[in-house]
């Protein structure tokens, strides 16, 4: 049987998570290749619309990462992100796409955490299966 | 595409619509010129500036159905300036594709012959940056209907499609309409009650439903809620969708007056009511903010304790201005802006004020 390989859109902020991804690469840590990383300058750049659009265009899951609260390069951008993502996750429950959107803080020094986050999320989406928006 | 009720050919270009148009106060926009251009040059000048509030329709001596005209002009066009980055349009689009999507998590009496649809108030909670609880509209409505002896079935419909239709997206509207009509017919209800003025207009005028459609104010106007402690002075903002579009001015007043409240009328009221400044999730900008300021100033001049409306959109936009003005400019509005159902339900619960009901989650 062919294992389902989910397509995941991952947003990384330029200052922490993207550097974290670089650290994983430099450290040669292995992690699943299901993610398509999109670099943004700050996680607060990510509008709820982006996530809905990604799901509509066939992503099975959307993973949003950013700096830890207090570490934001733009002082408090990620505070807005946290609020917005909480709402998007709530909206997903109503839309019947529960568990397909996740927010995680990953700093530039947390290579292993980056790997764990991606691995866990990929497994979570694999268990959920194909997005109902792709099945049609 | 032209529907039969668009009779813009009978316009004799008198310009009465320009004189009354609220948008004209703040933008160089003219319904007259829009009709002229479309009939003579086949262009759609300006149609996206219109707030579709319908004041011109009440003023027109020729009985031109300008709302149908603007709707026709918009169908298939490219909307301008959709607010909140179009998140509500995306949500509606996802709903058309996701069979088991919901708009509320409330539970009701599944055997009831009366259905209640809260609209997208839960999504408003998620995507408006306001310190208010839209979900309370839904919980309050259910409380009030139960109190009136009409324990409702909670309808799990998709978005009614109002905004998509007025944004010119007929295709998406048709999908939502088809799905909702099927769901309503399957549910076997004979009356559909909605708490949102936009839902009311859409289900009543743009859908072809077999069941009766009622706005909650019409149900509550005839019900005995037993509230006698409503001694407030209340001003009522007539939502365009409930007022000029569907002609219901008295039901909200009757429901409020039954509580013992003193109703004061603003300078522009009923069929002349000013627009809250935003409809169909379009045109939220500096120009229309000026209209909101005009409306809120009128309310302030009446000396009311509370401004009551029956449309969640009016509620959001007036409260948005109130929050901003109160916190940043000290230009305070010494009254609350509340939805009709929330106002009544709080009185029902002994007037606990504050943020009342515990929500939507």
């Amino acid at each position: 049987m062919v294992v389902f390989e989910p397509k995941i859109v991952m947003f990384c902020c330029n200052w922490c998570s993207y550097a974290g991804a670089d650290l994983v690469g430099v450290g040669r840590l292995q992690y699943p290749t299901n993610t398509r990383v999109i670099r943004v300058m700050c996680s607060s750049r990510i509008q709820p619309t982006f996530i809905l659009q990604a799901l509509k265009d066939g992503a099975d899951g959307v993973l949003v990462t950013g700096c830890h609260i207090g570490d934001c390069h733009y002082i408090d951008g990620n505070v807005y992100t946290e609020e917005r993502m909480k709402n998007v996750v709530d909206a997903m429950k109503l839309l019947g796409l529960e568990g397909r959107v996740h927010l995680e803080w990953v700093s530039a020094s947390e290579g292993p955490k980056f790997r764990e986050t991606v691995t866990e999320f990929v497994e979570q989406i694999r268990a959920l299966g194909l997005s109902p928006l792709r099945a049609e | 595409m032209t529907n039969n009720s668009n009779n813009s050919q009978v316009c004799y270009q008198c310009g009465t619509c320009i004189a009354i148009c609220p948008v004209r106060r703040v933008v160089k926009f003219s319904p007259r010129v829009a009709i002229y251009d479309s009939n003579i040059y086949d262009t759609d000048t300006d149609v996206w500036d219109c707030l579709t509030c319908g004041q011109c329709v009440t003023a027109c001596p020729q009985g031109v159905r300008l709302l149908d005209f603007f709707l026709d002009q918009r169908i298939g066009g490219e909307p301008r300036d959709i607010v909140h980055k179009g998140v509500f349009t995306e949500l509606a689009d996802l709903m058309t594709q996701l069979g088991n999507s919901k708009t509320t998590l409330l539970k009701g009496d599944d055997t009831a012959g009366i259905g209640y649809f809260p609209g997208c108030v839960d999504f408003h909670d998620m995507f408006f940056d306001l310190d208010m609880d839209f979900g309370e509209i839904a919980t309050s409505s259910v409380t009030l209907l139960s109190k009136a002896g009409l324990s409702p079935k909670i309808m799990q419909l998709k978005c009614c499609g109002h905004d998509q239709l007025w944004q010119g997206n007929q295709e998406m509207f048709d999908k939502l309409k088809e799905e909702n009509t099927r769901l309503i017919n399957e549910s076997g209800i004979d009356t559909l009650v909605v708490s949102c003025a936009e839902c009311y207009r859409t289900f009543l005028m743009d859908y072809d439903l077999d069941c009766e459609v009622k706005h909650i104010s019409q149900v509550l106007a005839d019900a005995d809620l037993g509230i006698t402690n409503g001694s407030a002075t209340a001003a009522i903002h007539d939502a365009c969708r409930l007022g000029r579009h569907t002609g219901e001015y008295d039901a909200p007043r009757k429901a409020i007056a039954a509580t013992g409240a003193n109703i004061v009328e603003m300078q522009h009221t009923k069929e002349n009511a000013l627009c809250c400044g935003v409809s169909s999730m379009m045109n939220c900008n500096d120009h229309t903010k000026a209209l909101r300021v005009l409306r809120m100033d009128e309310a302030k001049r009446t000396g009311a304790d509370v401004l009551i409306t029956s449309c969640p959109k009016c509620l959001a936009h007036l409260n948005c201005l109130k929050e901003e003005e109160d916190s940043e400019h000290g230009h305070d509005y010494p009254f609350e802006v509340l939805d009709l159902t929330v106002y009544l339900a709080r009185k029902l619960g002994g007037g606990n004020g504050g943020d009342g009901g515990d929500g939507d989650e």
Side-chain angles (χ1 to χ4, degrees):
Chain A
M1 193 190 134
V2 186
V3 181
F4 165 56
E5 291 297 343
K7 282 186 186 170
I8 289 166
V9 172
M10 182 172 185
F11 290 100
C12 293
C13 87
N14 183 56
W15 305 100
C16 291
S17 316
Y18 201 81
D22 274 347
L23 188 66
V24 176
V26 174
R28 304 213 172 173
L29 301 172
Q30 300 295 310
Y31 71 98
T33 54
N34 303 63
T35 52
R36 278 78 171 152
V37 175
I38 297 174
R39 180 172 65 158
V40 287
M41 288 309 280
C42 176
S43 55
S44 63
R45 175 70 184 89
I46 304 154
Q47 295 288 337
T49 322
F50 296 179
I51 293 167
L52 299 179
Q53 193 103 46
L55 291 165
K56 203 172 82 182
D57 291 349
D60 293 301
V62 178
L63 182 56
V64 178
T65 53
C67 308
H68 287 269
I69 297 287
D71 291 350
C72 180
H73 190 78
Y74 306 98
I75 302 170
D76 57 1
N78 50 8
V79 177
Y80 296 104
T81 312
E82 192 173 32
E83 173 70 21
R84 266 176 217 149
M85 289 308 134
K86 189 177 132 301
N87 291 335
V88 172
V89 168
D90 283 349
M92 289 303 126
K93 285 181 196 158
L94 286 172
L95 289 174
L97 296 171
E98 198 168 358
R100 292 189 185 271
V101 176
H102 185 61
L103 170 69
E104 192 73 48
W105 304 134
V106 182
S107 84
S109 61
E110 293 177 323
K113 183 177 178 188
F114 185 95
R115 179 174 71 163
E116 274 164 36
T117 305
V118 173
T119 313
E120 275 171 25
F121 191 67
V122 168
E123 286 314 315
Q124 185 184 331
I125 299 298
R126 211 193 294 277
L128 284 170
L130 200 64
S131 161
L133 290 158
R134 260 175 88 190
E136 284 170 22
Chain B
M1 199 193 308
T2 302
N3 74 36
N4 298 329
S5 56
N6 174 3
N7 60 348
S8 66
Q9 279 79 11
V10 305
C11 170
Y12 55 32
Q13 298 284 302
C14 66
T16 311
C17 47
I18 309 178
I20 202 164
C21 179
V23 186
R24 181 69 177 194
R25 292 166 181 239
V26 290
V27 193
K28 190 168 185 301
F29 164 74
S30 158
R32 181 187 69 80
V33 172
I35 288 183
Y36 185 81
D37 283 354
S38 81
N39 285 346
I40 307 292
Y41 302 117
D42 198 24
T43 60
D44 58 355
T45 333
D46 279 355
V47 293
W48 300 102
D49 273 330
C50 175
L51 296 172
T52 63
C53 75
Q55 281 219 44
C56 46
V57 181
T58 56
C60 182
Q62 275 291 80
V64 175
R65 288 181 283 270
L66 285 104
L67 289 171
D68 295 317
F69 163 74
F70 279 112
L71 189 53
D72 269 355
Q73 291 294 306
R74 286 180 176 193
I75 298 293
E78 188 62 38
R80 203 177 64 201
D81 190 16
I82 296 185
V83 298
H84 296 272
K85 317 285 176 210
V87 67
F88 291 94
T89 308
E90 293 290 342
L91 282 168
D93 194 3
L94 285 177
M95 279 186 214
T96 61
Q97 297 177 44
L98 291 163
N100 54 355
S101 59
K102 300 174 188 162
T103 40
T104 179
L105 293 172
L106 288 174
K107 293 271 184 298
D109 176 6
D110 281 342
T111 56
I114 180 166
Y116 167 67
F117 177 54
C120 38
V121 287
D122 281 0
F123 289 114
H124 287 194
D125 265 334
M126 293 165 195
F127 298 109
F128 284 155
D129 299 329
L130 287 171
D131 295 333
M132 59 176 293
D133 182 6
F134 287 92
E136 198 184 345
I137 298 176
T139 47
S140 301
S141 301
V142 175
T143 314
L144 292 166
L145 286 172
S146 307
K147 179 77 181 169
L150 301 161
S151 196
K153 177 187 174 110
I154 306 292
M155 302 297 290
Q156 288 294 357
L157 306 180
K158 313 295 172 201
C159 165
C160 70
H162 170 277
D163 296 346
Q164 286 64 46
L165 181 64
W166 290 93
Q167 286 165 8
N169 196 338
Q170 179 89 45
E171 197 185 340
M172 202 190 291
F173 175 74
D174 286 343
K175 277 189 209 162
L176 291 163
K177 179 178 166 180
E178 190 184 335
E179 183 71 7
N180 282 336
T181 307
R182 186 182 63 77
L183 288 167
I184 292 168
N185 288 341
E186 277 175 9
S187 70
I189 52 163
D190 49 32
T191 311
L192 176 65
V193 179
V194 290
S195 52
C196 167
E198 290 186 340
C199 291
Y200 178 62
R201 187 227 131 92
T202 308
F203 285 126
L204 189 72
M205 298 173 76
D206 301 321
Y207 280 49
D208 314 300
L209 295 175
D210 298 329
C211 67
E212 200 183 351
V213 181
K214 277 190 166 179
H215 188 264
I216 192 153
S217 62
Q218 296 168 331
V219 180
L220 297 178
D222 300 328
D224 180 19
L225 297 168
I227 305 171
T228 50
N229 59 350
S231 56
T233 308
I236 291 177
H237 169 72
D238 290 285
C240 57
R241 263 59 183 164
L242 188 65
R244 281 184 292 268
H245 283 230
T246 53
E248 186 59 76
Y249 302 106
D250 296 329
R253 288 178 171 74
K254 198 176 162 197
I256 302 289
T259 66
N262 173 29
I263 294 178
V264 287
E265 297 293 354
M266 287 185 268
Q267 186 186 348
H268 293 87
T269 185
K270 297 194 175 175
E271 55 274 6
N272 296 319
L274 284 181
C275 179
C276 72
V278 179
S279 79
S280 332
M281 293 287 171
M282 282 188 289
N283 291 314
C284 184
N285 51 37
D286 291 355
H287 304 308
T288 56
K289 189 177 166 189
L291 293 177
R292 280 193 283 291
V293 172
L294 281 174
R295 192 58 170 162
M296 288 294 272
D297 284 349
E298 280 191 3
K300 191 178 177 180
R301 281 201 296 275
T302 62
D305 311 325
V306 57
L307 176 62
I308 294 172
T309 181
S310 35
C311 175
K313 299 273 176 66
C314 296
L315 188 69
H317 300 129
L318 296 176
N319 261 317
C320 179
L321 177 75
K322 180 170 148 62
E323 277 184 20
E324 189 183 320
E325 292 292 314
D326 286 357
S327 65
E328 288 176 23
H329 303 117
H331 178 132
D332 71 319
Y333 291 112
F335 52 85
E336 271 189 295
V337 186
L338 289 177
D339 188 82
L340 175 82
T341 56
V342 173
Y343 175 76
L344 291 176
R346 285 186 188 175
K347 291 291 172 198
L348 197 64
N352 58 342
D355 60 7
D358 55 356
D360 50 302
E361 310 271 319

